[in-house]
Amino acid sequence: MSIVIKFFVAPDHEAAAAVAEGGPDRVFESLTFGNFDVEEALIEWEGIFTGRSFEEVLDDDVPETVADPDDGAGSLVLAVSRTFRDALCTADEHRLAEVSRLWVAEQAADGEVFDPEIAVWILSGLADLARAVGGGDENLYCWVA
């Protein structure tokens, strides 16, 4: 499996959708990760942060697809929910480590192996990016290819 995941900040869905074909690199500062199911991770992370089940988060249409130009056959842009963004903004290092540990345990229960240090690194990077947005009108997005 080879997946490129880039989280970035954009002013709105329209601006985020505009980078669906080529990615955010030349337009927005981004964080790059790879090789995990980011849609599932976004649901799981939000569930852990908020204490809601996977199904409850999924019922809220999280994550929201902003652009899917190839109907699932190519790159797409997802909007990170404001609930998750706000949770990241307020999370300290201890909370990020705790959520990472719980997520890695969920992955292990599903037969997936994920390095705990990388999980903390991912969530810490996302928290830094979310804090850059703060309570403003911009939002956090994810480009996947």
Side-chain angles (χ1 to χ4, degrees):
M1 164 172 60
S2 183
I3 299 171
V4 178
I5 302 163
K6 296 182 184 239
F7 287 93
F8 64 100
V9 174
D12 54 39
H13 284 9
E14 184 179 342
V19 302
E21 293 290 334
D25 286 345
R26 297 184 195 270
V27 182
F28 303 108
E29 182 179 340
S30 63
L31 292 174
T32 303
F33 304 108
N35 297 332
F36 65 95
D37 185 339
V38 72
E39 290 179 79
E40 185 174 291
L42 287 167
I43 296 167
E44 291 171 342
W45 292 332
E46 184 166 329
I48 294 168
F49 268 108
T50 63
R52 296 186 310 153
S53 72
F54 187 92
E55 291 76 21
E56 289 171 319
V57 176
L58 190 60
D59 286 345
D60 286 345
D61 292 325
V62 171
E64 178 185 355
T65 302
V66 173
D68 186 1
D70 299 317
D71 291 325
S75 60
L76 67 130
V77 176
L78 305 169
V80 173
S81 77
R82 290 191 184 267
T83 300
F84 180 47
R85 182 198 74 184
D86 293 347
L88 286 168
C89 285
T90 60
D92 61 16
E93 289 180 39
H94 174 74
R95 181 65 174 145
L96 293 169
E98 177 185 36
V99 170
S100 297
R101 182 183 51 76
L102 292 169
W103 182 64
V104 168
E106 281 186 15
Q107 295 299 294
D110 290 339
E112 300 288 328
V113 176
F114 207 92
D115 185 311
E117 289 180 20
I118 292 175
V120 171
W121 178 65
I122 290 170
L123 284 176
S124 295
L126 286 176
D128 289 342
L129 195 57
R131 289 182 193 116
V133 175
D137 292 333
E138 292 186 313
N139 203 14
L140 191 56
Y141 295 91
C142 179
W143 177 82
V144 184

